[in-house]
Amino acid sequence: MAAGRKRVGVLISGRGSNMVSLAEAAQAPDYPAQIALVLSNIPDVAGLDRARGFGIATATVDHRAFGKDREAFERATDEVLRVNQIDLVVLAGFMRILTPWFVTRWEGRMINIHPSLLPLFKGTHTHRQALEAGVAEHGCSVHFVVPELDAGPVILQAKVPVLPGDDEDKLAQRVLAEEHKLYPAALAEVASGRARLEGGVVIRG
Ligand code: GRF
């Protein structure tokens, strides 16, 4: 790996298709980040196997072992990130709400992908929300993570049309194809320092 590449920890909870798109992008010699660790809060998910296929180190911190104590789970996660000398945290289908303790610790160094054109359609079932709202365009956003859910400053967005006959699955597939291009592009912006969180806004250049 080239010197100076940011060491990225990708947090997942499932299939990990966005993680795969990041791992593929990071194979380019001039990509400014390396995927140093893939961590799941659920044991034995497909994404962990896919990460191992890339030769990436993996870890599991099972949130169920910590009961209702979210911060204890996060302290254990944070310790694994620290041991692996992680510079940037990338949430990719990570299905745990993070407490202000963890978010503050990683503020400006943690990004998430959300399958909607934020600030529209926060939370879950975003494709259903878009269809019910009758919008003509939908898409995905990569944003810095702040304590309020899905409210962080947006780094990049990609749009797709909503087509006649769309259902949730069709729309989700169209958005996911864009996610797989958008996330590597956004991580490159952050890892290279071209996009930074300063004073609650994204500074570019
Ligand atoms: C993606 O749609 C992402 O936007 C959302 O959860 C899904 C994760 O998919 N947060 P994958 O695990 O990356 O395949």
Side-chain angles (χ1 to χ4, degrees):
M1 292 290 177
R5 285 182 163 207
K6 295 284 191 228
R7 290 176 60 80
V8 169
V10 183
L11 270 51
I12 65 168
S13 302
R15 66 185 171 186
S17 72
N18 277 290
M19 178 278 297
V20 166
S21 73
L22 296 167
E24 285 172 351
Q27 288 179 329
D30 59 348
Y31 195 75
Q34 58 175 300
I35 311 305
L37 175 72
V38 172
L39 185 152
S40 174
N41 66 305
I42 299 177
D44 304 322
V45 293
L48 289 171
D49 269 345
R50 298 172 93 174
R52 288 184 204 108
F54 282 88
I56 298 170
T58 62
T60 300
V61 180
D62 187 346
H63 68 273
R64 290 169 303 190
F66 300 90
K68 288 190 163 58
D69 192 345
R70 284 184 185 271
E71 207 174 292
F73 160 71
E74 292 174 357
R75 285 185 188 280
T77 299
D78 192 72
E79 175 66 11
V80 176
L81 297 171
R82 195 190 63 73
V83 165
N84 284 275
Q85 299 179 296
I86 296 304
D87 302 308
L88 295 172
V89 173
V90 169
L91 307 180
F94 182 68
M95 300 305 287
R96 299 295 295 168
I97 293 173
L98 295 165
T99 71
W101 177 80
F102 190 87
V103 174
T104 305
R105 205 168 169 77
W106 288 94
E107 199 153 331
R109 298 182 296 145
M110 178 158 61
I111 62 177
N112 180 46
I113 192 158
H114 183 76
S116 80
L117 295 173
L118 291 171
L120 294 175
F121 313 136
K122 295 177 179 177
T124 55
H125 305 298
T126 58
H127 311 303
R128 189 186 309 168
Q129 291 187 55
L131 288 170
E132 285 174 0
V135 291
E137 278 186 327
H138 185 41
C140 47
S141 309
V142 177
H143 63 91
F144 283 107
V145 178
V146 300
E148 192 187 335
L149 188 67
D150 299 331
V154 169
I155 301 160
L156 287 178
Q157 290 184 317
K159 293 180 181 174
V160 302
V162 180
L163 300 176
D166 269 353
D167 57 20
E168 274 184 67
D169 282 352
K170 286 182 189 165
L171 192 51
Q173 275 182 32
R174 198 174 306 126
V175 171
L176 191 64
E178 292 303 316
E179 292 183 38
H180 294 163
K181 294 182 267 180
L182 189 72
Y183 220 175
L187 176 58
E189 292 297 296
V190 174
S192 65
R194 290 193 299 271
R196 304 178 300 283
L197 183 65
E198 285 178 22
V201 296
V202 178
I203 305 292
R204 295 170 200 282

